[in-house]
Amino acid sequence: MIDGRVFVTREIAPDALARLREEFAEVDVWEAFEPPTPEQLAERAAGCVAVVTMITDRVDAALLNAAPTVRVVANMAVGYNNVDVATCSGRDVLVSNTPNVLEETTADLAFALMLAVARHVVASDADTRAGNWGLWHPALWLGRDVWGASLGIVGMGGIGSAVARRARGFDMRIRYTANSRRTEAEAALGAEFVPDLRELLAASDFVSLHVPLTASTHNLIGAAELAAMRPTAFLINTSRGDVVDTEALLAALRAGRIAGAGLDVTAPEPIPADHPLLSLPNVVVTPHIGSASFATRRRMAMMAVENAIAACKGEPMPSRVVG
Ligand code: GLV
């Protein structure tokens, strides 16, 4: 039994909580549907040995100052831009994420957004519900083919590769850019490496973003990058909202410099209902649900929990993040 308390910042899968209760002397779970505020998080983490956090929780020096007993931060996400890993490492606080369990599910959503925005799935559904399916006409709701189109993948990690695997089934021409070449993906998926981002953008009918949010990917897609895209091309973002400059995207969509966007992540996030992006018919927005399947969220919860347990027992964490 781990002699200490763990704070879980949201209700997670019951079997993951049961695992924590088997191992920790005390398990405290945030009871509200809304995330804790930074102050509430600090208050509840104080005196804990571990915290299981979500992407909405900021883990920084202020939190660690308020909760100096915390030795482990188990983030229930593959991305960990909400955690100041350098500060954690400087204080010997171990950090983990949840890789290798959500890639396929997130790639499904990237594809769903691609199909939805290119074929007007959401807009035509809304129109139908509004009673406007009055007739059939050969020119109604014409969209762009996903099959056979060229796909530019920005970031060829686990999710990028899972998107590429799906793209093969759609006979897409796959190109990618990444910090380094992924020769296995090239061989297995027929993906072509394009080192220059703008060159990749100019060659793509669909651009799908799969990079982590870091200082070097913040606003990676700005006005110049959007200008490099084809006017018939679509931008798909299932990574982090801040990878795209929202104002530049809005301007590009309004001016018809690109054909549309499918966004599972936005900046700001959550996006307010009166945000101008939501008034555009060629934009589909989902509320950061890339990994949100029952099975995957359960796997993520189990992995976060096993990381917390392992670290508190002095064992290697299944997926430690090193800053
Ligand atoms: C979700 O956004 C994740 O990083 O897992």
Side-chain angles (χ1 to χ4, degrees):
M1 179 66 67
I2 299 158
D3 184 22
R5 184 166 76 241
V6 56
F7 178 48
V8 187
T9 69
R10 222 67 66 80
E11 191 78 42
I12 56 172
D15 44 356
L17 288 177
R19 248 322 261 141
L20 286 178
R21 291 191 177 108
E22 269 169 29
E23 299 282 354
F24 281 87
E26 232 186 304
V27 179
D28 181 21
V29 183
W30 181 250
E31 52 288 326
F33 195 72
E34 295 74 28
T37 62
E39 295 72 29
Q40 290 167 326
L41 173 58
E43 199 177 301
R44 294 282 278 271
C48 289
V49 290
V51 283
V52 175
T53 53
M54 312 291 136
I55 52 170
T56 44
D57 304 315
R58 180 90 208 124
V59 179
D60 54 12
L63 176 68
L64 299 180
N65 288 342
T69 49
V70 168
R71 309 269 29 104
V72 182
V73 175
N75 206 40
M76 199 184 104
V78 69
Y80 46 87
N81 53 290
N82 58 307
V83 180
D84 180 343
V85 180
T87 297
C88 288
S89 300
R91 299 175 185 214
D92 294 327
V93 173
L94 299 171
V95 179
S96 61
N97 67 341
T98 59
N100 308 321
V101 292
L102 53 76
E103 286 67 10
E104 301 296 338
T105 301
T106 306
D108 278 355
L109 192 80
F111 245 83
L113 288 172
M114 232 185 273
L115 290 161
V117 74
R119 296 298 306 277
H120 309 296
V121 172
V122 178
S124 66
D125 172 86
D127 205 50
T128 303
R129 288 167 196 260
N132 294 330
W133 188 3
L135 51 80
W136 184 91
H137 189 281
L140 271 184
W141 293 113
L142 299 186
R144 306 245 167 221
D145 286 323
V146 173
W147 78 271
S150 63
L151 172 64
I153 297 178
V154 181
M156 196 62 141
I159 301 171
S161 304
V163 167
R165 279 196 293 282
R166 283 156 181 73
R168 267 172 74 91
F170 279 73
D171 278 337
M172 298 181 90
R173 172 155 186 184
I174 306 164
R175 298 185 181 85
Y176 76 99
T177 192
N179 287 338
S180 58
R181 278 183 80 153
R182 304 279 190 274
T183 42
E184 21 14 286
E186 291 179 27
L189 305 169
E192 182 192 331
F193 180 56
V194 179
D196 184 67
L197 173 62
R198 294 206 192 154
E199 202 179 304
L200 178 84
L201 297 173
S204 303
D205 298 314
F206 294 86
V207 173
S208 196
L209 306 177
H210 302 290
V211 288
L213 176 62
T214 63
S216 59
T217 61
H218 188 266
N219 284 349
L220 179 71
I221 305 296
E225 289 70 27
L226 291 159
M229 286 177 64
R230 299 172 173 179
T232 49
F234 297 89
L235 180 70
I236 308 299
N237 191 6
T238 53
S239 62
R240 287 292 183 266
D242 282 312
V243 172
V244 177
D245 176 341
T246 302
E247 287 309 310
L249 176 62
L250 191 56
L253 287 163
R254 279 180 166 155
R257 281 195 291 277
I258 67 170
L263 311 172
D264 184 47
V265 288
T266 55
E269 190 173 309
I271 191 164
D274 61 355
H275 194 284
L277 261 184
L278 297 181
S279 68
L280 302 180
N282 51 345
V283 176
V284 172
V285 182
T286 50
H288 204 147
I289 55 169
S291 63
S293 74
F294 289 105
T296 293
R297 284 286 161 82
R298 181 185 162 273
R299 278 194 293 267
M300 292 164 70
M302 287 308 272
M303 192 167 193
V305 156
E306 291 305 339
N307 272 300
I309 294 169
C312 288
K313 287 178 154 179
E315 294 165 6
M317 298 169 100
S319 51
R320 182 173 168 198
V321 171
V322 183

